[in-house]
Amino acid sequence: MCELINYKGIFFPTLSTTLKDLNFIENEFQVRDDDIFNITYPKSGTTWVTDIVSLIHTNGDPTWSKTVPNWDRMPWLESAYVSDRLQNENSSPRLITSHLPKHLFSKSLSHSKAKVIYTVRNPKDVVVSLYYFSKMSVFFKEPDNFNEIVEEFLTGDLPYGSWFDHIKGWMELMGKDNFLLNTYEDLYEDLRGSVIRISKFLGKNFDDAIIDSIVEHATFKSMKDNKMSNFTLLPGTYMDQDKSPFMRKGVTGDWKNHFTVVQSEYFDKIYKTKMHNYPVKFPWDRM
Ligand code: PPS
């Protein structure tokens, strides 16, 4: 795995970002009212939402999604040099992705009307997805075993920090007109309904043909086959897709195939403690 840097107590992969970028983003980057943000904790549906938003942006025409890599269509704000480049970007709206926790995000967001789509996923499925990602990418340390990554996830000892802090930080925006809570589970259960909801949030009332096209090109199969979405354009030194494909399974509930009963009960116990009295209920809380 690559080296990590520590910014205000949170670790980030050096291959993705620099301290200069993180400091610039937090303190100087100017969010614009027409910006559209795709915010997630890693492995929660980031690339899925990037493709959906890209297709919404082009009114359902897949040409852009099939010719330009996702990291150029909706770049990660914290990637090296990206915030600098975006600061001088003239086109509008700017489509921007980020894994940053809220407390390290651009302060200028607080007084802007920029739209934020915040996507969350069953944390147990996030752990499983992370486990395979850590085997194939240089951005996360490969654990010795599954138990180790469960422990790291629960303590927040991972790049981008604690899942619990990420959720609680961004969910402070819940209820604001410019914030949309989206879940991986909703995307999975009802992709069409989710596409309509996200389109409306972005001010687009599409006819059925456009919605059909967005859905068709945002399915797991379409994205897995699209080299602009599946990261096969990255060198194997960054992501070795022979070890595990980036577009791995694309399902909900895969945690049941990986957690032992003991691990699952332990996870639930810590989850309940950390989320005690939390006012919002997520799809996995109801199961
Ligand atoms: S990253 O590295 O943080 O940007 O990863 P992220 O995109 O957030 O999450 C990757 C997981 O999302 C799954 N994925 C999808 N599932 C269903 N349908 C579609 N279209 C889709 N696109 C991406 C991807 O397969 C990863 O989940 P797992 O469970 O590992 O398969």
Side-chain angles (χ1 to χ4, degrees), residues 42-48 99 121 129 184 218 223 248-250:
K43 312 321 288 180
S44 301
T46 327
T47 46
W48 202 353
H99 287 321
R121 184 182 193 184
S129 190
Y184 184 100
M223 286 181 58
R248 194 184 59 87
K249 269 198 180 173

Side-chain angles (χ1 to χ4, degrees), residues 15-196:
L15 277 179
S16 306
T17 192
T18 65
L19 291 177
K20 186 167 167 279
D21 283 294
L22 292 167
N23 186 49
F24 178 79
I25 290 166
E26 186 183 357
N27 299 303
E28 289 174 57
F29 183 74
Q30 288 307 307
V31 171
R32 298 179 192 159
D33 283 342
D34 55 354
D35 285 342
I36 297 171
F37 289 101
N38 168 21
I39 311 275
T40 56
Y41 188 81
K43 312 321 288 180
S44 301
T46 327
T47 46
W48 202 353
V49 172
T50 292
D51 274 23
I52 292 170
V53 173
S54 301
L55 288 157
I56 291 172
H57 184 65
T58 58
N59 300 325
D61 180 346
T63 313
W64 194 43
S65 309
K66 290 195 169 175
T67 50
V68 177
N70 54 9
W71 57 81
D72 282 335
R73 279 181 275 129
M74 200 155 189
W76 268 265
L77 181 60
E78 57 272 21
S79 290
Y81 310 116
V82 165
S83 52
D84 219 23
R85 174 163 65 74
L86 283 170
Q87 191 82 316
N88 300 308
E89 177 68 59
N90 290 324
S91 68
S92 156
R94 298 182 301 182
L95 309 182
I96 304 171
T97 299
S98 180
H99 287 321
L100 284 173
K102 173 73 175 59
H103 71 284
L104 299 183
F105 201 77
S106 309
K107 291 185 176 132
S108 59
L109 175 68
S110 63
H111 49 80
S112 98
K113 297 189 182 96
K115 293 193 170 151
V116 173
I117 303 166
Y118 186 54
T119 304
V120 297
R121 184 182 193 184
N122 184 333
K124 286 179 176 169
D125 283 335
V126 172
V127 173
V128 172
S129 190
L130 261 178
Y131 177 63
Y132 287 97
F133 190 63
S134 71
K135 289 175 183 293
M136 61 84 79
S137 87
V138 283
F139 304 110
F140 284 79
K141 177 175 75 67
E142 186 178 351
D144 290 337
N145 50 52
F146 187 68
N147 211 45
E148 192 175 305
I149 201 156
V150 171
E151 199 54 53
E152 286 170 353
F153 184 88
L154 290 172
T155 53
D157 185 18
L158 283 170
Y160 304 97
S162 154
W163 179 89
F164 299 94
D165 293 347
H166 206 280
I167 298 281
K168 289 180 185 170
W170 282 103
M171 289 294 289
E172 282 170 13
L173 300 186
M174 185 78 178
K176 288 186 138 204
D177 290 345
N178 61 338
F179 181 83
L180 181 74
L181 174 63
N182 178 47
T183 73
Y184 184 100
E185 288 70 24
D186 284 344
L187 291 171
Y188 186 78
E189 290 298 326
D190 181 12
L191 180 55
R192 191 183 170 81
S194 299
V195 165
I196 293 172

Side-chain angles (χ1 to χ4, degrees), residues 45-52 55 65-66 70 73 191 214-232 246-247:
T46 327
T47 46
W48 202 353
V49 172
T50 292
D51 274 23
I52 292 170
L55 288 157
S65 309
K66 290 195 169 175
N70 54 9
R73 279 181 275 129
L191 180 55
I214 298 171
V215 171
E216 179 190 336
H217 297 288
T219 62
F220 184 71
K221 164 121 187 38
S222 299
M223 286 181 58
K224 193 175 171 73
D225 292 344
N226 181 2
K227 62 179 188 299
M228 299 298 157
S229 306
N230 64 17
F231 291 95
T232 51
F246 182 90
M247 294 288 171

